[in-house]
Structures are given as C-alpha cells and as structure tokens.
Amino acid sequence: MSAVLGDWSWVAGEQALSLEMRPGRFTEALSGHWTLTDFGHILDGLSLRRLVDALSGDEPSVTCGLQLADGRAVHLAGTFTRPGEARGLVLEAGTADAESRDPQSQLRAAYQPIYNLVTGRIDGFEALARWDGEDRRDRAQGPRTDDRALASNMLLQASEALARWQAETGRPDLFVQVNLTGRDLDDATLADLVAALVGGFSLPPGSLRLELTEQAALRNARQAQDMAVRLQAAGAALVLDDFGSGHSSFLWLADFPAGGLKVDASLIARLQTPRVRIILESVTQLAHRLDMTVTAEGVETTALLPELRQSGFDFAQGFALGRPLSRDQTSQLLQAPAPALPG
Ligand code: G
Ligand code: MN
C-alpha cells in the first residue's frame, strides 16, 4: 500500500528544492538539496517543465509526475503552506499519476457533498471511486481493479483535493471521507501513508476521515481495532459506515474509537414510518452520548430534511442534496455564493 518514498520541500525565494528520501531504491538518486537547474539534470526534459509549472504557485496544491533520466519515475504531491513555500511527499509513480500507464490512472475520485443540517452548509465530502465517470458499484468488479492500490490512490487524491479546498475557501474545518475495506486494514503500512498525507498536505488532524463498515472490521476484529488506534494517532478520524444494516452490534460501537456514524440508506428511506423514526431518534441520541456525529446516507428527497433534523441527525448526504462531482467542480461549488441546503 504505502507508496511513500520520502518528503520534499520547496522555497521559491531561494529556488531550493530539498528531498529527504527514506532508505530504498531512490535514496541515492534523489536525496539532497537541489536548485531546480541541478535537479533538472537528473530528469527528462518534459518532467522539469511540469515541475516548474507545478511549483509556480498558481495552484495551492502541487502534484506532478517526474520521469528520471535513468527511466524510473516518481510522483511529487504536496501543498503550498504559505506563498512561495510548499512541501509534500515523494510517492511511488502510478499512485496518482494521470500520465502513467498504470490501470489505476483511469481512477478518478468523485466527491459527494455532506451537508451540515444545522448550518445548511457543506462541511465535507465522501470520496467515491469512479472509472471513466462510472460509479464503482455500477460495474462488475473485474481484474482492472487492484484493491490494494485503490485505497492509497483514493487517499492521495482526496488529501490533495482537501488541501486545495481548504486553501481556496479558508475553511480548515472542511473534511473528506475515504472508504476502506477489510483488506486495507490488514496492511501495516496504511497508518504510515495516512501520517505522511496528513503531514505532507498540512491537513488539520481529523479532517481526513476513513469510513469503515463493521463487516470490514470484523474480518479480524483485534487487528482492525489496533489499526484504528494507529490511524487516529496518524491524524485521521474514523467513521462507521452503513450503520443499521447487517449486524451493527453494540460491541462495534463500544470497541471502535470512531468520531462519526453513517446511518444506512435503507433505514433513512423508511424514516417516516413510526417504528423506524423511534429507532433512528435513539441511534442519534446514543451516538451523541458517545461523542459521535451522525450522518444520514442516501437522502433522495429533500422532504426528509426537517425530520432528519428533528431526529437529531447532524449531517445529510444523498442524491437529493448533491451528486458526486470532480475536484474542480467541487471547488466551484464551494466558491459559489452560500450554497444553500435545499428544503
Ligand atoms: O456505503 P457507502 O456510504 O460507501 O455508499 C456510497 C454509495 O452510495 C456510492 O456508490 C454513491 O454513489 C451512492 N449514493 C450516494 N447517494 C445516494 C442516494 O441518494 N441514493 C442512492 N441510491 N445511492 C446513493
Ligand atoms: Mn461510505
């Protein structure tokens, strides 16, 4: 999973690019303090052009695939922490490199808005995996999907997008939620990647959130719990996904140190039946007593919004409120004057 090869920083005033590489294949070639001209000597020509563009500072985030003169490739991803100063991660090429031939390069994260039901504002997004504009769930899972690379790719894209939106809007409270599978939790390097992304993109702790289903965590409960603690230490927050469907045992709530709960769409669709209403009112109370926020998933009609508020929900997400959008469309949505919650 972990594609982190090292860290980089850039100071425009001094034209200084510093790379601190972890021990590995690229350590010798890349480590050190470089002028752009010197660094250009170890790159192919087009890569230097791309790097200069990426560091020119028009964009708050930096993401750039670099081909070395010896044929190898890496990816720089990061963000401007102030005008003229940027830092970030050196990653394995292909993790998010649109120009690479990696099948993952077809993968584009789409971001579905999550509305705060009290303020009516968008506070965050769920990152959803799309291939060529399709929703992953709409297509059969074929050999094209490498789940191991999927989570790190989604985490990278979502972190980069979040850093950009936070910078563009001046709202460090914006968050993004990325789905993890049970297999992702088996991967010991996941926490390392999360720490590197939170640090590399200067994300406020807890603004990168990981959605987990109980089913995923149940594969190996003990290990999943250890991983959850490590992910939180790495600066991520955890959200329990699809709550209310499947087993959803109270042990899951008791044992998992999550900051949020997402109530499954199948229950939300039945909010207007009295028994479901009582159940959901109790779930939000329970969650709040456990210091968790509660999100209603799959909200397909704005007619539900008043009742969601009355039932204690904090957030709502669904087609009635917003379809998944690209990173740039999301930037526009956030910059549009006061995108108001319908209903
Ligand atoms: O389980 P999870 O929360 O990760 O599910 C997210 C999925 O739900 C995505 O595939 C997304 O496209 C889909 N989705 C989002 N909003 C709605 C909605 O209002 N209705 C339906 N049916 N699906 C939705
Ligand atoms: Mn989810």
Side-chain angles (χ1 to χ4, degrees):
M1 143 103 52
S2 175
V4 182
L5 304 173
D7 303 280
W8 63 268
S9 65
W10 162 247
V11 182
E14 297 163 18
Q15 291 286 296
L17 180 67
S18 300
L19 283 87
E20 196 174 317
M21 302 299 293
R22 300 176 184 189
R25 290 189 301 131
F26 289 93
T27 320
E28 216 167 301
L30 295 177
S31 292
H33 304 283
W34 303 86
T35 64
L36 274 189
T37 314
D38 285 347
F39 197 62
H41 291 146
I42 67 162
L43 301 177
D44 79 1
L46 279 175
S47 290
L48 180 61
R49 185 76 258 144
R50 279 205 297 273
L51 181 61
V52 170
D53 286 347
L55 294 175
S56 68
D58 294 342
E59 304 270 11
S61 60
V62 177
T63 170
C64 181
L66 298 179
Q67 187 99 34
L68 306 194
D70 65 14
R72 297 183 295 168
V74 296
H75 189 96
L76 297 194
T79 188
F80 278 88
T81 49
R82 63 179 70 170
E85 286 186 31
R87 63 195 187 86
L89 304 172
V90 185
L91 298 159
E92 239 161 38
T95 315
D97 188 346
E99 284 117 338
S100 84
R101 264 179 272 278
D102 190 305
Q104 288 284 320
S105 67
Q106 306 294 331
L107 174 69
R108 287 277 164 272
Y111 304 94
Q112 187 174 32
I114 298 175
Y115 278 85
N116 182 317
L117 282 166
V118 177
T119 64
R121 280 199 313 185
I122 295 171
D123 277 358
F125 299 87
E126 178 175 0
L128 298 165
R130 297 281 164 115
W131 283 264
D132 304 328
E134 287 174 85
D135 191 310
R136 174 172 181 194
R137 305 213 172 172
D138 297 341
R139 64 185 305 142
Q141 285 193 25
R144 199 173 161 193
T145 307
D146 175 0
D147 276 333
R148 296 223 160 241
L150 174 63
S152 49
N153 192 330
M154 290 296 290
L155 281 167
L156 173 59
Q157 289 192 39
S159 300
E160 189 270 332
L162 180 62
R164 175 183 295 244
W165 301 326
Q166 288 178 343
E168 285 170 348
T169 59
R171 287 189 55 191
D173 62 305
L174 287 175
F175 60 81
V176 69
Q177 305 191 163
V178 177
N179 293 285
L180 294 185
T181 65
R183 267 211 302 183
D184 297 327
L185 292 178
D186 294 341
D187 191 325
T189 62
L190 176 63
D192 183 40
L193 176 63
V194 166
L197 291 170
V198 169
F201 287 105
S202 304
L203 300 174
S207 62
L208 177 60
R209 302 183 179 179
L210 306 169
E211 295 192 7
L212 285 173
T213 61
E214 184 179 34
Q215 218 178 352
L218 275 179
R219 283 176 89 241
N220 183 343
R222 180 76 234 152
Q223 187 174 317
Q225 240 170 287
D226 290 348
M227 179 57 88
V229 171
R230 291 177 54 209
L231 290 170
Q232 284 182 313
L238 300 175
V239 176
L240 308 184
D241 203 3
D242 298 344
F243 190 81
S245 68
H247 298 289
S248 301
S249 74
F250 289 113
L251 285 174
W252 167 232
L253 278 185
D255 291 342
F256 247 77
L261 197 66
K262 294 183 85 174
V263 175
D264 195 70
S266 57
L267 279 166
I268 299 303
R270 294 175 58 189
L271 177 64
Q272 278 154 328
T273 61
R275 292 180 73 85
V276 171
R277 169 91 185 230
I278 291 168
I279 290 167
L280 293 183
E281 282 173 1
S282 310
V283 165
T284 61
Q285 273 181 29
L286 174 62
H288 289 157
R289 291 194 62 188
L290 294 169
D291 275 333
M292 302 166 96
T293 59
V294 195
T295 303
E297 289 190 289
V299 177
E300 291 187 347
T301 163
T302 54
L304 283 179
L305 295 178
E307 271 167 282
L308 287 171
R309 281 192 203 93
Q310 287 160 18
S311 307
F313 282 87
D314 304 292
F315 297 106
Q317 173 187 352
F319 292 158
L321 305 177
R323 297 257 167 186
L325 300 171
S326 72
R327 182 197 65 190
D328 291 345
Q329 288 170 326
T330 300
S331 285
Q332 287 165 20
L333 177 67
L334 287 168
Q335 271 153 29
L341 185 63

